[in-house]
């Protein structure tokens, strides 16, 4: 590591295949004073497997980042050098580290990144779905109502969406995504770079065909809007508001909206108006 190295290193670690740990990442981890790890046990196993020896390994995760960050900043000002790693992949992407990096920048503490494995980029690269532009949205909210609001925010963007989801919530999240986003390309990637790596390709409208017993870490890639696809709920809501201003009975409004929307029947539009 260079003698004028930054005080804080953000280091990417393997998603699953330990062979993906870069020589530079190894060099930095062995040279710093303290390695901040999301899960010291998991990072410890990685270090043991790859033969990397660190001076000190300290727990640093979502639940203690805010409390520990000021002390870490103070230590860096005194000359100590830190590296932050997540359980797998690039730190900060739905993982701890953002607050610390922000504080370091605000305090004019040098920050440098050792790039490497990233689940969103790996899933996107292997999906066959348009890679740019894309939007990474982390983990969707747990509540369906909050998920709908989130997907509505991105429904009009001509962008591929990438996010993480837990296996027990995947089916419900894909269902909600389809209701808001309409028909799109879909890829569910799991166990990236590991022995049982799998890219499940399909269509968002066929979300119920995705196996419910998937194991491992899951990354979802949803393609951009398709002009011939179903009008999203967000766009439908706008059409209803516009037609309502013109007046008429609900069923009449539903008929007018149906003429402007794609993939909706008059009955479905009317029911949507009643439910919303």
């Amino acid at each position: 590591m260079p003698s004028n190295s930054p005080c804080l290193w953000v280091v990417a670690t393997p998603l699953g295949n330990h062979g993906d740990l870069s020589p530079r990442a190894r060099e930095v981890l062995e040279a710093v004073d303290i390695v901040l790890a999301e899960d010291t046990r998991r990072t410890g196993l990685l270090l043991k497997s790859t033969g990397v020896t660190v001076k000190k390994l300290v727990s640093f995760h979502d639940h203690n980042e805010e409390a520990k960050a000021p002390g870490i900043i103070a230590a860096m000002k005194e000359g100590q050098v830190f590296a932050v790693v997540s359980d797998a992949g690039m730190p900060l992407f739905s993982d701890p580290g953002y607050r610390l990096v922000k504080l370091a920048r605000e305090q004019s503490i040098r920050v440098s990144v050792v790039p490497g494995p990233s689940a969103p980029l790996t899933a996107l690269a292997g999906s066959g779905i348009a890679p740019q532009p894309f939007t990474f949205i982390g983990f969707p909210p747990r509540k369906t109502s909050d998920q709908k609001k989130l997907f509505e925010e991105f429904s009009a963007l001509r962008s591929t969406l990438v996010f993480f989801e837990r296996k027990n919530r995947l089916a419900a999240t894909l269902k909600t995504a389809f209701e808001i986003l309409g028909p799109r390309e879909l890829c569910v990637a799991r166990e990236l770079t590991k022995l049982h790596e799998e890219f499940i390709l399909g269509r968002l409208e066929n979300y119920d065909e995705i196996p419910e017993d998937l194991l491992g870490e899951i990354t979802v890639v949803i393609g951009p809007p398709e002009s011939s696809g179903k009008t999203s709920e967000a766009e439908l809501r706008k059409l209803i508001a516009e037609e309502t201003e013109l007046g008429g009975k609900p069923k009449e409004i539903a008929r007018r909206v149906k003429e402007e929307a794609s993939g909706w029947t008059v009955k479905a539009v009317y029911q949507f108006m009643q439910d919303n």
Side-chain angles (χ1 to χ4, degrees):
M1 189 169 65
S3 58
N4 62 341
S5 59
C7 291
L8 176 62
W9 291 86
V10 179
V11 182
T13 54
L15 299 176
N17 189 320
H18 290 180
D20 291 335
L21 184 70
S22 73
R24 184 164 176 250
R26 176 189 296 271
E27 179 186 7
V28 169
L29 292 176
E30 290 186 331
V32 300
D33 297 304
I34 297 176
V35 175
L36 303 170
E38 183 179 6
D39 184 329
T40 55
R41 180 178 174 277
R42 288 189 63 172
T43 298
L45 291 174
L46 168 66
L47 298 176
K48 182 178 180 180
S49 171
T50 54
V52 175
T53 301
V54 301
K55 296 174 184 176
K56 188 174 183 180
L57 192 62
V58 174
S59 173
F60 185 75
H61 47 71
D62 285 332
H63 301 296
N64 67 16
E65 179 176 5
E66 187 172 359
K68 284 191 172 184
I72 294 170
I73 293 294
M76 286 192 286
K77 284 186 173 181
E78 293 177 359
Q80 285 194 303
V81 181
F82 287 75
V84 58
V85 300
S86 64
D87 284 350
M90 179 62 71
L92 279 71
F93 288 82
S94 290
D95 287 320
Y98 164 72
R99 296 184 186 90
L100 182 60
V101 170
K102 183 175 176 61
L103 280 175
R105 289 298 189 190
E106 290 173 348
Q107 296 295 318
S108 298
I109 293 173
R110 292 169 299 187
V111 179
S112 189
V113 178
V114 180
S118 168
L121 293 181
T122 302
L124 188 60
S127 69
I129 295 175
Q132 71 269 339
F134 82 91
T135 302
F136 175 64
I137 57 179
F139 279 97
R142 294 190 178 190
K143 292 184 178 180
T144 300
S145 58
D146 292 335
Q147 284 187 0
K148 286 187 174 183
K149 291 178 183 177
L150 176 69
F151 287 128
E152 283 178 351
E153 290 179 8
F154 297 107
S155 62
L157 292 180
R158 301 205 63 79
S159 172
T160 292
L161 302 180
V162 183
F163 58 88
F164 298 145
E165 189 51 288
R166 293 176 175 81
K167 60 181 181 180
N168 61 314
R169 297 207 298 266
L170 179 63
T173 298
L174 292 180
K175 180 177 183 294
T176 301
F178 169 62
E179 291 174 352
I180 302 300
L181 302 175
R184 299 191 183 196
E185 291 181 281
L186 171 68
C187 174
V188 175
R190 72 178 190 93
E191 293 291 85
L192 292 170
T193 78
K194 300 178 184 178
L195 178 63
H196 299 293
E197 177 182 79
E198 184 177 16
F199 289 84
I200 303 173
L201 306 177
R203 300 280 308 175
L204 186 55
E205 60 266 34
N206 299 326
Y207 62 86
D208 55 352
E209 295 179 1
I210 301 296
E212 295 185 4
D213 56 349
L214 294 179
L215 300 178
E217 303 294 329
I218 295 173
T219 305
V220 178
V221 182
I222 296 177
E226 300 173 354
S227 57
S228 60
K230 181 180 180 180
T231 298
S232 69
E233 288 191 4
E235 182 61 27
L236 188 71
R237 192 172 284 110
K238 293 178 183 177
L239 292 173
I240 291 172
E242 292 171 359
E243 292 298 333
T244 299
E245 288 185 2
L246 298 177
K249 295 180 179 180
K251 289 187 177 181
E252 180 184 345
I253 294 173
R255 281 194 293 270
R256 297 202 304 262
V257 170
K258 188 266 180 186
E259 295 302 317
E260 299 182 59
S262 299
W264 291 82
T265 64
V266 174
K267 182 178 180 181
V269 173
Y270 181 76
Q271 186 61 52
F272 183 85
M273 292 169 61
Q274 302 304 308
D275 295 339
N276 292 271

